[in-house]
Amino acid sequence: MMNATMEYMKGKTLVISGATRGIGKAILYRFAECGVNIAFTYNKNEEEAQKIAEDVIKKFGIKACYYPLNVLEPEQYTTLFEQIDKDFDRVDFFVSNAIIYGRSVVGGFAPFMRLKPKGLNNIYTATVLAFVVGAQEAAKRMKEVGGGAIVSLSSTGNLVYMPNYAGHGNSKNAVETMVKYAATELGEFGIRVNAVSGGPIDTDALRAFPDYDEVKAKVEEQSPLKRMGSPEDLAGAALFLCDKTQSGWLTGQTIVIDGGTTFK
Ligand SMILES: NC(=O)c1ccc[n+]([C@@H]2O[C@H](COP(=O)([O-])OP(=O)(O)OC[C@H]3O[C@@H](n4cnc5c(N)ncnc54)[C@H](OP(=O)(O)O)[C@@H]3O)[C@@H](O)[C@H]2O)c1
């Protein structure tokens, strides 16, 4: 028997950025399991994107297409959505998930005294400006189908100190505020906008931290649940926030999923 979530989600379309790995990939699979068609983006890992698309098409009988996107150039969302219009008949959900790393965060992922405008600007562009343009394009399509849901990923690095994380934490604060403004102005179109904020989650992004082992040990010690978070721990929240049958009056909020670490 189909439950209410499955019934509501089936045949709808999710657009998600950065779903080749980590949290984005877990969200993609969680939605695909519910019969949601998926338009997702990659940056460098086209081969992985192809594998994921083939896998979910085979396993869940949905439609899945992948597209290149660089969130350092948020305007790319405009042409991306035009392409998605050709491949999908509707857009119901948008998850802004992609995050930059490596060279482009130099001067942004650093101790306070080594922060540089360029690195900080890159993180702001990839986190906040990409969310704005992506959500605008998604909202135009959602209006046409009577509503939808938008989710931005955030992180508890704006609530608790994390070494080198000033640039990211600051931009996550900004995107959470942007979420509230978008929610307030898009509600009349049946569009809900929320954020999912994660504590440290075991992904490539975190493994790239120079102090990864320390962070991991600290989280395992600090969390009342005595473990790191997994990408799947956030995927359920993203599904919940998009599922109108479960969260229909929830908008402009951030759900914190931190294994209880933030309070300690
Ligand atoms: N990991 C954590 O501890 C944690 C905690 C809380 C919140 N978050 C948030 O959750 C989200 C996902 O993080 P994650 O840990 O899953 O990251 P991840 O494993 O490093 O994956 C990053 C994704 O972003 C894509 N990407 C990289 N550079 C890009 C660019 N310039 N333009 C467009 N896409 C790009 C990658 O695509 P390719 O593979 O094709 O390069 C990949 O799909 C982020 O918003 C992050 O801040 C993470």
Side-chain angles (χ1 to χ4, degrees), residues 91-252:
V91 172
D92 302 275
F93 314 121
F94 172 60
V95 176
S96 181
N97 167 78
I99 190 70
I100 54 167
Y101 58 97
R103 283 175 69 87
S104 51
V105 300
V106 172
F109 183 80
F112 178 77
M113 290 303 279
R114 276 197 250 138
L115 292 175
K116 296 266 188 291
K118 187 158 187 274
L120 289 173
N121 269 336
N122 280 348
I123 295 174
Y124 185 82
T125 299
T127 307
V128 185
L129 305 185
F131 166 78
V132 169
V133 184
Q136 287 170 339
E137 292 300 327
K140 286 180 204 165
R141 276 85 182 165
M142 290 173 190
K143 281 181 189 176
E144 285 168 19
V145 295
I150 295 170
V151 175
S152 174
L153 267 294
S154 186
S155 97
T156 55
N158 62 0
L159 300 175
V160 290
Y161 176 79
M162 282 174 73
N164 303 312
Y165 207 75
H168 285 289
N170 200 40
S171 285
K172 292 302 194 189
N173 248 349
V175 83
E176 286 182 27
T177 301
M178 199 61 86
V179 158
K180 291 183 201 168
Y181 274 85
T184 305
E185 294 180 22
L186 294 174
E188 67 175 296
F189 306 107
I191 301 170
R192 296 177 302 106
V193 191
N194 292 288
V196 173
S197 175
I201 307 288
D202 213 344
T203 67
D204 289 351
L206 200 78
R207 284 187 280 270
F209 280 29
D211 57 345
Y212 167 75
D213 290 332
E214 247 170 78
V215 173
K216 187 171 191 295
K218 196 169 161 202
V219 172
E220 286 170 354
E221 193 270 313
Q222 240 181 1
S223 168
L225 302 171
K226 297 293 168 213
R227 67 169 176 86
M228 284 274 279
S230 73
E232 290 70 26
D233 288 323
L234 299 194
L239 181 71
F240 167 74
L241 287 173
C242 289
D243 176 5
K244 198 166 114 182
T245 69
Q246 305 292 326
S247 62
W249 209 47
L250 206 175
T251 197

Side-chain angles (χ1 to χ4, degrees), residues 18 20-21 23 43-45 69-71 97 154 172 201 203:
T20 53
R21 303 185 259 133
I23 295 160
N43 184 243
K44 291 204 182 85
N45 288 313
L69 175 73
N70 182 2
V71 283
N97 167 78
S154 186
K172 292 302 194 189
I201 307 288
T203 67

Side-chain angles (χ1 to χ4, degrees), residues 48-119:
E48 185 58 22
Q50 185 183 351
K51 265 194 230 154
I52 291 170
E54 284 169 5
D55 188 47
V56 292
I57 289 167
K58 199 166 123 209
K59 276 197 185 125
F60 307 113
I62 58 157
K63 178 166 185 163
C65 298
Y66 53 97
Y67 310 87
L69 175 73
N70 182 2
V71 283
L72 284 169
E73 292 175 27
E75 293 79 7
Q76 285 189 7
Y77 264 119
T78 309
T79 42
L80 168 69
F81 270 88
E82 283 166 8
Q83 188 57 49
I84 291 171
D85 287 339
K86 289 184 191 142
D87 298 332
F88 293 83
D89 58 358
R90 55 187 294 146
V91 172
D92 302 275
F93 314 121
F94 172 60
V95 176
S96 181
N97 167 78
I99 190 70
I100 54 167
Y101 58 97
R103 283 175 69 87
S104 51
V105 300
V106 172
F109 183 80
F112 178 77
M113 290 303 279
R114 276 197 250 138
L115 292 175
K116 296 266 188 291
K118 187 158 187 274

